[in-house]
Amino acid sequence: MSFILLLLLLASPQVSAGNFLFTAALPPKMVPVTVRIDFGPAGKPLIEKEIKVPEGATHKQALQGMIPIVEGSACCDPAEVKGIEGVTIDPMNNRWWRLKINGTAKKASPHKSHLKAGDRMEWIYFEDQQ
């Protein structure tokens, strides 16, 4: 009886490690999201397309996967999206990028919040008139 118990104890870490390795080798689940980029006063043509991203990807990761971006502190964090496709924020002229998810302005940082299947991500370059 103790021999069987010893075999079970010795086998358990191998089974766990084997399952971990198998799980880590699986590709991430891909989910569809719609991306819309409105360049507003910059005068570039609007971009809108549906893409597939790994489930749980951040808004910034999804954007980076489809178009060149510039990272930098737009407000508070050096990991923010400062520019898209060569159009960067311009504080002197009060021009900024705004992110909306499913029609609502996003309060969380695009490099920290996550997308889910069916989300509509909209980046809008605008001039603040205030």
Side-chain angles (χ1 to χ4, degrees):
M1 177 73 168
S2 61
F3 179 72
I4 293 173
L5 184 57
L6 179 61
L7 284 176
L8 288 174
L9 287 172
L10 291 174
S12 293
Q14 293 169 342
V15 171
S16 296
N19 287 341
F20 174 74
L21 293 174
F22 180 72
T23 302
L26 292 175
K29 179 181 176 186
M30 301 299 280
V31 296
V33 296
T34 301
V35 180
R36 183 175 195 269
I37 305 169
D38 181 348
F39 292 96
K44 290 182 118 179
L46 180 110
I47 297 172
E48 184 165 0
K49 64 169 118 176
E50 185 175 289
I51 62 172
K52 292 203 178 223
V53 299
E55 187 173 45
T58 67
H59 301 94
K60 179 180 165 184
Q61 289 169 332
L63 186 64
Q64 265 177 317
M66 66 172 282
I67 198 163
I69 70 165
V70 174
E71 297 178 84
S73 184
C75 163
C76 314
D77 192 316
E80 293 176 357
V81 175
K82 188 174 180 176
I84 302 172
E85 187 71 8
V87 177
T88 59
I89 62 167
D90 181 358
M92 295 298 289
N93 290 308
N94 244 353
R95 291 184 176 183
W96 310 94
W97 281 105
R98 174 184 300 145
L99 172 62
K100 287 185 175 184
I101 299 298
N102 303 321
T104 304
K106 191 71 181 155
K107 299 283 189 235
S109 298
H111 61 283
K112 294 180 182 174
S113 52
H114 302 276
L115 290 162
K116 56 188 183 306
D119 276 348
R120 180 178 172 84
M121 175 173 66
E122 185 174 12
W123 293 86
I124 303 162
Y125 190 68
F126 71 101
E127 186 172 324
D128 191 352
Q129 299 295 323
Q130 295 179 349

PDB file of all heavy atoms in Angstrom, residues 37-43 84 87-91 93-100 105 122-130:
ATOM      1  N   ILE A  37     -10.413  54.631 -36.635  1.00  0.00           N
ATOM      2  CA  ILE A  37      -9.468  55.711 -36.339  1.00  0.00           C
ATOM      3  C   ILE A  37      -9.889  56.929 -37.141  1.00  0.00           C
ATOM      4  O   ILE A  37      -9.859  56.924 -38.365  1.00  0.00           O
ATOM      5  CB  ILE A  37      -8.022  55.302 -36.685  1.00  0.00           C
ATOM      6  CG1 ILE A  37      -7.647  54.006 -35.966  1.00  0.00           C
ATOM      7  CG2 ILE A  37      -7.055  56.430 -36.318  1.00  0.00           C
ATOM      8  CD1 ILE A  37      -6.364  53.387 -36.447  1.00  0.00           C
ATOM      9  N   ASP A  38     -10.297  57.980 -36.429  1.00  0.00           N
ATOM     10  CA  ASP A  38     -10.741  59.232 -37.041  1.00  0.00           C
ATOM     11  C   ASP A  38      -9.648  60.268 -36.810  1.00  0.00           C
ATOM     12  O   ASP A  38      -9.409  60.695 -35.681  1.00  0.00           O
ATOM     13  CB  ASP A  38     -12.058  59.669 -36.398  1.00  0.00           C
ATOM     14  CG  ASP A  38     -12.615  60.943 -36.983  1.00  0.00           C
ATOM     15  OD1 ASP A  38     -11.903  61.649 -37.738  1.00  0.00           O
ATOM     16  OD2 ASP A  38     -13.782  61.259 -36.672  1.00  0.00           O
ATOM     17  N   PHE A  39      -8.974  60.678 -37.884  1.00  0.00           N
ATOM     18  CA  PHE A  39      -7.858  61.611 -37.780  1.00  0.00           C
ATOM     19  C   PHE A  39      -8.309  63.064 -37.692  1.00  0.00           C
ATOM     20  O   PHE A  39      -7.481  63.960 -37.550  1.00  0.00           O
ATOM     21  CB  PHE A  39      -6.894  61.414 -38.955  1.00  0.00           C
ATOM     22  CG  PHE A  39      -6.178  60.099 -38.907  1.00  0.00           C
ATOM     23  CD1 PHE A  39      -6.649  59.009 -39.611  1.00  0.00           C
ATOM     24  CD2 PHE A  39      -5.033  59.943 -38.141  1.00  0.00           C
ATOM     25  CE1 PHE A  39      -5.995  57.786 -39.567  1.00  0.00           C
ATOM     26  CE2 PHE A  39      -4.370  58.727 -38.087  1.00  0.00           C
ATOM     27  CZ  PHE A  39      -4.851  57.646 -38.795  1.00  0.00           C
ATOM     28  N   GLY A  40      -9.609  63.328 -37.779  1.00  0.00           N
ATOM     29  CA  GLY A  40     -10.166  64.660 -37.576  1.00  0.00           C
ATOM     30  C   GLY A  40      -9.388  65.773 -38.243  1.00  0.00           C
ATOM     31  O   GLY A  40      -9.162  65.738 -39.452  1.00  0.00           O
ATOM     32  N   PRO A  41      -8.921  66.785 -37.457  1.00  0.00           N
ATOM     33  CA  PRO A  41      -8.258  67.949 -38.031  1.00  0.00           C
ATOM     34  C   PRO A  41      -6.921  67.646 -38.717  1.00  0.00           C
ATOM     35  O   PRO A  41      -6.384  68.500 -39.409  1.00  0.00           O
ATOM     36  CB  PRO A  41      -8.062  68.884 -36.835  1.00  0.00           C
ATOM     37  CG  PRO A  41      -8.125  68.022 -35.635  1.00  0.00           C
ATOM     38  CD  PRO A  41      -9.016  66.865 -36.000  1.00  0.00           C
ATOM     39  N   ALA A  42      -6.402  66.432 -38.555  1.00  0.00           N
ATOM     40  CA  ALA A  42      -5.142  66.086 -39.225  1.00  0.00           C
ATOM     41  C   ALA A  42      -5.366  65.824 -40.720  1.00  0.00           C
ATOM     42  O   ALA A  42      -4.417  65.821 -41.497  1.00  0.00           O
ATOM     43  CB  ALA A  42      -4.503  64.865 -38.579  1.00  0.00           C
ATOM     44  N   GLY A  43      -6.624  65.598 -41.109  1.00  0.00           N
ATOM     45  CA  GLY A  43      -6.965  65.475 -42.524  1.00  0.00           C
ATOM     46  C   GLY A  43      -6.647  64.147 -43.187  1.00  0.00           C
ATOM     47  O   GLY A  43      -6.797  64.017 -44.395  1.00  0.00           O
ATOM     48  N   ILE A  84      -0.670  58.193 -33.606  1.00  0.00           N
ATOM     49  CA  ILE A  84      -1.150  57.093 -34.435  1.00  0.00           C
ATOM     50  C   ILE A  84      -0.890  57.453 -35.886  1.00  0.00           C
ATOM     51  O   ILE A  84      -1.285  58.535 -36.340  1.00  0.00           O
ATOM     52  CB  ILE A  84      -2.662  56.839 -34.225  1.00  0.00           C
ATOM     53  CG1 ILE A  84      -2.949  56.527 -32.744  1.00  0.00           C
ATOM     54  CG2 ILE A  84      -3.156  55.718 -35.135  1.00  0.00           C
ATOM     55  CD1 ILE A  84      -4.432  56.443 -32.405  1.00  0.00           C
ATOM     56  N   VAL A  87       0.391  60.885 -36.606  1.00  0.00           N
ATOM     57  CA  VAL A  87      -0.371  62.019 -36.066  1.00  0.00           C
ATOM     58  C   VAL A  87      -0.250  61.971 -34.542  1.00  0.00           C
ATOM     59  O   VAL A  87      -0.813  61.100 -33.895  1.00  0.00           O
ATOM     60  CB  VAL A  87      -1.851  61.973 -36.500  1.00  0.00           C
ATOM     61  CG1 VAL A  87      -2.628  63.120 -35.872  1.00  0.00           C
ATOM     62  CG2 VAL A  87      -1.970  61.990 -38.013  1.00  0.00           C
ATOM     63  N   THR A  88       0.515  62.914 -33.988  1.00  0.00           N
ATOM     64  CA  THR A  88       0.747  62.921 -32.541  1.00  0.00           C
ATOM     65  C   THR A  88      -0.022  64.050 -31.867  1.00  0.00           C
ATOM     66  O   THR A  88      -0.453  65.002 -32.513  1.00  0.00           O
ATOM     67  CB  THR A  88       2.252  63.082 -32.223  1.00  0.00           C
ATOM     68  OG1 THR A  88       2.720  64.297 -32.790  1.00  0.00           O
ATOM     69  CG2 THR A  88       3.052  61.915 -32.744  1.00  0.00           C
ATOM     70  N   ILE A  89      -0.146  63.910 -30.558  1.00  0.00           N
ATOM     71  CA  ILE A  89      -0.822  64.977 -29.813  1.00  0.00           C
ATOM     72  C   ILE A  89      -0.050  66.271 -30.018  1.00  0.00           C
ATOM     73  O   ILE A  89       1.156  66.258 -30.280  1.00  0.00           O
ATOM     74  CB  ILE A  89      -0.939  64.639 -28.314  1.00  0.00           C
ATOM     75  CG1 ILE A  89       0.433  64.488 -27.672  1.00  0.00           C
ATOM     76  CG2 ILE A  89      -1.802  63.416 -28.086  1.00  0.00           C
ATOM     77  CD1 ILE A  89       0.410  64.461 -26.160  1.00  0.00           C
ATOM     78  N   ASP A  90      -0.759  67.382 -29.933  1.00  0.00           N
ATOM     79  CA  ASP A  90      -0.146  68.691 -30.139  1.00  0.00           C
ATOM     80  C   ASP A  90      -0.687  69.642 -29.070  1.00  0.00           C
ATOM     81  O   ASP A  90      -1.673  70.358 -29.302  1.00  0.00           O
ATOM     82  CB  ASP A  90      -0.487  69.180 -31.553  1.00  0.00           C
ATOM     83  CG  ASP A  90       0.129  70.529 -31.893  1.00  0.00           C
ATOM     84  OD1 ASP A  90       0.805  71.127 -31.031  1.00  0.00           O
ATOM     85  OD2 ASP A  90      -0.091  70.989 -33.023  1.00  0.00           O
ATOM     86  N   PRO A  91      -0.076  69.640 -27.888  1.00  0.00           N
ATOM     87  CA  PRO A  91      -0.585  70.471 -26.792  1.00  0.00           C
ATOM     88  C   PRO A  91      -0.648  71.961 -27.125  1.00  0.00           C
ATOM     89  O   PRO A  91      -1.534  72.668 -26.650  1.00  0.00           O
ATOM     90  CB  PRO A  91       0.395  70.210 -25.648  1.00  0.00           C
ATOM     91  CG  PRO A  91       1.023  68.896 -25.964  1.00  0.00           C
ATOM     92  CD  PRO A  91       1.059  68.827 -27.460  1.00  0.00           C
ATOM     93  N   ASN A  93      -1.521  73.361 -29.851  1.00  0.00           N
ATOM     94  CA  ASN A  93      -2.753  73.630 -30.600  1.00  0.00           C
ATOM     95  C   ASN A  93      -3.956  72.911 -30.003  1.00  0.00           C
ATOM     96  O   ASN A  93      -5.008  72.843 -30.635  1.00  0.00           O
ATOM     97  CB  ASN A  93      -2.562  73.237 -32.068  1.00  0.00           C
ATOM     98  CG  ASN A  93      -1.614  74.182 -32.757  1.00  0.00           C
ATOM     99  OD1 ASN A  93      -1.778  75.399 -32.708  1.00  0.00           O
ATOM    100  ND2 ASN A  93      -0.582  73.629 -33.374  1.00  0.00           N
ATOM    101  N   ASN A  94      -3.780  72.371 -28.801  1.00  0.00           N
ATOM    102  CA  ASN A  94      -4.854  71.692 -28.082  1.00  0.00           C
ATOM    103  C   ASN A  94      -5.451  70.518 -28.865  1.00  0.00           C
ATOM    104  O   ASN A  94      -6.662  70.327 -28.885  1.00  0.00           O
ATOM    105  CB  ASN A  94      -5.955  72.681 -27.692  1.00  0.00           C
ATOM    106  CG  ASN A  94      -6.086  72.797 -26.191  1.00  0.00           C
ATOM    107  OD1 ASN A  94      -5.453  72.061 -25.444  1.00  0.00           O
ATOM    108  ND2 ASN A  94      -6.912  73.721 -25.755  1.00  0.00           N
ATOM    109  N   ARG A  95      -4.592  69.711 -29.496  1.00  0.00           N
ATOM    110  CA  ARG A  95      -5.050  68.536 -30.246  1.00  0.00           C
ATOM    111  C   ARG A  95      -4.628  67.269 -29.505  1.00  0.00           C
ATOM    112  O   ARG A  95      -3.472  67.128 -29.125  1.00  0.00           O
ATOM    113  CB  ARG A  95      -4.488  68.548 -31.666  1.00  0.00           C
ATOM    114  CG  ARG A  95      -5.096  69.666 -32.491  1.00  0.00           C
ATOM    115  CD  ARG A  95      -4.618  69.622 -33.900  1.00  0.00           C
ATOM    116  NE  ARG A  95      -5.291  70.662 -34.686  1.00  0.00           N
ATOM    117  CZ  ARG A  95      -5.118  70.831 -35.970  1.00  0.00           C
ATOM    118  NH1 ARG A  95      -4.298  70.042 -36.645  1.00  0.00           N
ATOM    119  NH2 ARG A  95      -5.757  71.775 -36.615  1.00  0.00           N
ATOM    120  N   TRP A  96      -5.599  66.360 -29.357  1.00  0.00           N
ATOM    121  CA  TRP A  96      -5.415  65.183 -28.520  1.00  0.00           C
ATOM    122  C   TRP A  96      -6.061  63.950 -29.155  1.00  0.00           C
ATOM    123  O   TRP A  96      -6.938  64.073 -29.997  1.00  0.00           O
ATOM    124  CB  TRP A  96      -6.055  65.407 -27.147  1.00  0.00           C
ATOM    125  CG  TRP A  96      -5.645  66.690 -26.520  1.00  0.00           C
ATOM    126  CD1 TRP A  96      -6.302  67.887 -26.581  1.00  0.00           C
ATOM    127  CD2 TRP A  96      -4.455  66.934 -25.775  1.00  0.00           C
ATOM    128  NE1 TRP A  96      -5.598  68.861 -25.905  1.00  0.00           N
ATOM    129  CE2 TRP A  96      -4.460  68.293 -25.397  1.00  0.00           C
ATOM    130  CE3 TRP A  96      -3.389  66.138 -25.361  1.00  0.00           C
ATOM    131  CZ2 TRP A  96      -3.442  68.868 -24.635  1.00  0.00           C
ATOM    132  CZ3 TRP A  96      -2.382  66.715 -24.605  1.00  0.00           C
ATOM    133  CH2 TRP A  96      -2.421  68.063 -24.253  1.00  0.00           C
ATOM    134  N   TRP A  97      -5.639  62.777 -28.670  1.00  0.00           N
ATOM    135  CA  TRP A  97      -6.300  61.522 -29.027  1.00  0.00           C
ATOM    136  C   TRP A  97      -7.251  61.142 -27.900  1.00  0.00           C
ATOM    137  O   TRP A  97      -6.903  61.248 -26.728  1.00  0.00           O
ATOM    138  CB  TRP A  97      -5.277  60.397 -29.228  1.00  0.00           C
ATOM    139  CG  TRP A  97      -4.603  60.456 -30.558  1.00  0.00           C
ATOM    140  CD1 TRP A  97      -3.333  60.871 -30.812  1.00  0.00           C
ATOM    141  CD2 TRP A  97      -5.173  60.092 -31.811  1.00  0.00           C
ATOM    142  NE1 TRP A  97      -3.075  60.794 -32.151  1.00  0.00           N
ATOM    143  CE2 TRP A  97      -4.192  60.300 -32.801  1.00  0.00           C
ATOM    144  CE3 TRP A  97      -6.416  59.609 -32.214  1.00  0.00           C
ATOM    145  CZ2 TRP A  97      -4.408  60.055 -34.147  1.00  0.00           C
ATOM    146  CZ3 TRP A  97      -6.629  59.362 -33.550  1.00  0.00           C
ATOM    147  CH2 TRP A  97      -5.643  59.581 -34.508  1.00  0.00           C
ATOM    148  N   ARG A  98      -8.453  60.714 -28.266  1.00  0.00           N
ATOM    149  CA  ARG A  98      -9.453  60.242 -27.305  1.00  0.00           C
ATOM    150  C   ARG A  98      -9.843  58.825 -27.712  1.00  0.00           C
ATOM    151  O   ARG A  98      -9.993  58.538 -28.898  1.00  0.00           O
ATOM    152  CB  ARG A  98     -10.686  61.134 -27.330  1.00  0.00           C
ATOM    153  CG  ARG A  98     -11.822  60.603 -26.457  1.00  0.00           C
ATOM    154  CD  ARG A  98     -13.085  61.438 -26.551  1.00  0.00           C
ATOM    155  NE  ARG A  98     -12.804  62.796 -26.125  1.00  0.00           N
ATOM    156  CZ  ARG A  98     -13.382  63.873 -26.655  1.00  0.00           C
ATOM    157  NH1 ARG A  98     -14.258  63.751 -27.635  1.00  0.00           N
ATOM    158  NH2 ARG A  98     -13.081  65.069 -26.216  1.00  0.00           N
ATOM    159  N   LEU A  99     -10.029  57.953 -26.743  1.00  0.00           N
ATOM    160  CA  LEU A  99     -10.452  56.580 -26.987  1.00  0.00           C
ATOM    161  C   LEU A  99     -11.881  56.380 -26.511  1.00  0.00           C
ATOM    162  O   LEU A  99     -12.217  56.754 -25.389  1.00  0.00           O
ATOM    163  CB  LEU A  99      -9.518  55.603 -26.251  1.00  0.00           C
ATOM    164  CG  LEU A  99      -9.931  54.131 -26.258  1.00  0.00           C
ATOM    165  CD1 LEU A  99      -9.966  53.565 -27.674  1.00  0.00           C
ATOM    166  CD2 LEU A  99      -8.979  53.324 -25.377  1.00  0.00           C
ATOM    167  N   LYS A 100     -12.700  55.807 -27.380  1.00  0.00           N
ATOM    168  CA  LYS A 100     -14.054  55.406 -26.993  1.00  0.00           C
ATOM    169  C   LYS A 100     -14.173  53.900 -27.215  1.00  0.00           C
ATOM    170  O   LYS A 100     -13.674  53.380 -28.208  1.00  0.00           O
ATOM    171  CB  LYS A 100     -15.115  56.107 -27.850  1.00  0.00           C
ATOM    172  CG  LYS A 100     -15.308  57.561 -27.546  1.00  0.00           C
ATOM    173  CD  LYS A 100     -16.458  58.109 -28.366  1.00  0.00           C
ATOM    174  CE  LYS A 100     -16.762  59.538 -27.992  1.00  0.00           C
ATOM    175  NZ  LYS A 100     -17.950  60.029 -28.740  1.00  0.00           N
ATOM    176  N   ALA A 105     -16.640  57.170 -23.856  1.00  0.00           N
ATOM    177  CA  ALA A 105     -15.255  57.598 -23.627  1.00  0.00           C
ATOM    178  C   ALA A 105     -14.639  56.712 -22.557  1.00  0.00           C
ATOM    179  O   ALA A 105     -15.248  56.450 -21.525  1.00  0.00           O
ATOM    180  CB  ALA A 105     -15.220  59.054 -23.199  1.00  0.00           C
ATOM    181  N   GLU A 122     -12.721  53.026 -30.803  1.00  0.00           N
ATOM    182  CA  GLU A 122     -12.661  54.199 -31.671  1.00  0.00           C
ATOM    183  C   GLU A 122     -11.655  55.201 -31.119  1.00  0.00           C
ATOM    184  O   GLU A 122     -11.772  55.665 -29.986  1.00  0.00           O
ATOM    185  CB  GLU A 122     -14.051  54.837 -31.753  1.00  0.00           C
ATOM    186  CG  GLU A 122     -14.136  55.983 -32.700  1.00  0.00           C
ATOM    187  CD  GLU A 122     -15.559  56.502 -32.859  1.00  0.00           C
ATOM    188  OE1 GLU A 122     -16.444  56.122 -32.071  1.00  0.00           O
ATOM    189  OE2 GLU A 122     -15.778  57.303 -33.776  1.00  0.00           O
ATOM    190  N   TRP A 123     -10.651  55.514 -31.943  1.00  0.00           N
ATOM    191  CA  TRP A 123      -9.653  56.523 -31.610  1.00  0.00           C
ATOM    192  C   TRP A 123     -10.000  57.780 -32.392  1.00  0.00           C
ATOM    193  O   TRP A 123     -10.152  57.735 -33.611  1.00  0.00           O
ATOM    194  CB  TRP A 123      -8.260  56.040 -31.996  1.00  0.00           C
ATOM    195  CG  TRP A 123      -7.799  54.882 -31.174  1.00  0.00           C
ATOM    196  CD1 TRP A 123      -8.047  53.560 -31.404  1.00  0.00           C
ATOM    197  CD2 TRP A 123      -7.016  54.943 -29.993  1.00  0.00           C
ATOM    198  NE1 TRP A 123      -7.466  52.795 -30.432  1.00  0.00           N
ATOM    199  CE2 TRP A 123      -6.810  53.621 -29.552  1.00  0.00           C
ATOM    200  CE3 TRP A 123      -6.439  55.987 -29.270  1.00  0.00           C
ATOM    201  CZ2 TRP A 123      -6.074  53.305 -28.427  1.00  0.00           C
ATOM    202  CZ3 TRP A 123      -5.696  55.675 -28.140  1.00  0.00           C
ATOM    203  CH2 TRP A 123      -5.523  54.350 -27.729  1.00  0.00           C
ATOM    204  N   ILE A 124     -10.128  58.908 -31.686  1.00  0.00           N
ATOM    205  CA  ILE A 124     -10.552  60.160 -32.320  1.00  0.00           C
ATOM    206  C   ILE A 124      -9.508  61.236 -32.015  1.00  0.00           C
ATOM    207  O   ILE A 124      -9.205  61.524 -30.853  1.00  0.00           O
ATOM    208  CB  ILE A 124     -11.919  60.619 -31.789  1.00  0.00           C
ATOM    209  CG1 ILE A 124     -12.959  59.525 -32.003  1.00  0.00           C
ATOM    210  CG2 ILE A 124     -12.343  61.931 -32.438  1.00  0.00           C
ATOM    211  CD1 ILE A 124     -14.207  59.684 -31.167  1.00  0.00           C
ATOM    212  N   TYR A 125      -8.970  61.828 -33.089  1.00  0.00           N
ATOM    213  CA  TYR A 125      -8.049  62.965 -32.947  1.00  0.00           C
ATOM    214  C   TYR A 125      -8.917  64.217 -33.012  1.00  0.00           C
ATOM    215  O   TYR A 125      -9.674  64.412 -33.954  1.00  0.00           O
ATOM    216  CB  TYR A 125      -7.025  62.940 -34.070  1.00  0.00           C
ATOM    217  CG  TYR A 125      -5.893  63.927 -33.899  1.00  0.00           C
ATOM    218  CD1 TYR A 125      -4.968  63.767 -32.880  1.00  0.00           C
ATOM    219  CD2 TYR A 125      -5.732  64.982 -34.762  1.00  0.00           C
ATOM    220  CE1 TYR A 125      -3.900  64.658 -32.714  1.00  0.00           C
ATOM    221  CE2 TYR A 125      -4.669  65.877 -34.630  1.00  0.00           C
ATOM    222  CZ  TYR A 125      -3.767  65.704 -33.603  1.00  0.00           C
ATOM    223  OH  TYR A 125      -2.723  66.587 -33.454  1.00  0.00           O
ATOM    224  N   PHE A 126      -8.830  65.062 -32.001  1.00  0.00           N
ATOM    225  CA  PHE A 126      -9.713  66.224 -31.956  1.00  0.00           C
ATOM    226  C   PHE A 126      -8.974  67.446 -31.439  1.00  0.00           C
ATOM    227  O   PHE A 126      -7.923  67.354 -30.819  1.00  0.00           O
ATOM    228  CB  PHE A 126     -10.930  65.922 -31.060  1.00  0.00           C
ATOM    229  CG  PHE A 126     -10.600  65.846 -29.592  1.00  0.00           C
ATOM    230  CD1 PHE A 126     -10.868  66.922 -28.745  1.00  0.00           C
ATOM    231  CD2 PHE A 126     -10.000  64.710 -29.044  1.00  0.00           C
ATOM    232  CE1 PHE A 126     -10.553  66.855 -27.400  1.00  0.00           C
ATOM    233  CE2 PHE A 126      -9.677  64.640 -27.697  1.00  0.00           C
ATOM    234  CZ  PHE A 126      -9.957  65.716 -26.863  1.00  0.00           C
ATOM    235  N   GLU A 127      -9.578  68.588 -31.721  1.00  0.00           N
ATOM    236  CA  GLU A 127      -9.057  69.843 -31.220  1.00  0.00           C
ATOM    237  C   GLU A 127      -9.975  70.312 -30.110  1.00  0.00           C
ATOM    238  O   GLU A 127     -11.181  70.523 -30.327  1.00  0.00           O
ATOM    239  CB  GLU A 127      -8.998  70.890 -32.334  1.00  0.00           C
ATOM    240  CG  GLU A 127      -8.331  72.172 -31.936  1.00  0.00           C
ATOM    241  CD  GLU A 127      -8.123  73.107 -33.106  1.00  0.00           C
ATOM    242  OE1 GLU A 127      -7.849  72.625 -34.230  1.00  0.00           O
ATOM    243  OE2 GLU A 127      -8.218  74.328 -32.908  1.00  0.00           O
ATOM    244  N   ASP A 128      -9.422  70.481 -28.912  1.00  0.00           N
ATOM    245  CA  ASP A 128     -10.202  70.921 -27.767  1.00  0.00           C
ATOM    246  C   ASP A 128     -10.380  72.433 -27.876  1.00  0.00           C
ATOM    247  O   ASP A 128      -9.414  73.189 -27.859  1.00  0.00           O
ATOM    248  CB  ASP A 128      -9.488  70.551 -26.475  1.00  0.00           C
ATOM    249  CG  ASP A 128     -10.345  70.721 -25.240  1.00  0.00           C
ATOM    250  OD1 ASP A 128     -11.454  71.276 -25.352  1.00  0.00           O
ATOM    251  OD2 ASP A 128      -9.905  70.304 -24.158  1.00  0.00           O
ATOM    252  N   GLN A 129     -11.610  72.886 -27.968  1.00  0.00           N
ATOM    253  CA  GLN A 129     -11.912  74.311 -28.155  1.00  0.00           C
ATOM    254  C   GLN A 129     -11.982  75.092 -26.860  1.00  0.00           C
ATOM    255  O   GLN A 129     -12.227  76.275 -26.875  1.00  0.00           O
ATOM    256  CB  GLN A 129     -13.252  74.449 -28.900  1.00  0.00           C
ATOM    257  CG  GLN A 129     -13.249  73.820 -30.277  1.00  0.00           C
ATOM    258  CD  GLN A 129     -12.290  74.510 -31.229  1.00  0.00           C
ATOM    259  OE1 GLN A 129     -12.131  75.726 -31.207  1.00  0.00           O
ATOM    260  NE2 GLN A 129     -11.634  73.732 -32.081  1.00  0.00           N
ATOM    261  N   GLN A 130     -11.788  74.450 -25.723  1.00  0.00           N
ATOM    262  CA  GLN A 130     -11.916  75.138 -24.424  1.00  0.00           C
ATOM    263  C   GLN A 130     -10.729  75.992 -24.127  1.00  0.00           C
ATOM    264  O   GLN A 130      -9.635  75.800 -24.376  1.00  0.00           O
ATOM    265  CB  GLN A 130     -12.114  74.136 -23.308  1.00  0.00           C
ATOM    266  CG  GLN A 130     -13.420  73.405 -23.467  1.00  0.00           C
ATOM    267  CD  GLN A 130     -13.608  72.379 -22.347  1.00  0.00           C
ATOM    268  OE1 GLN A 130     -12.696  72.079 -21.594  1.00  0.00           O
ATOM    269  NE2 GLN A 130     -14.806  71.840 -22.257  1.00  0.00           N
TER     270      GLN A 130
END
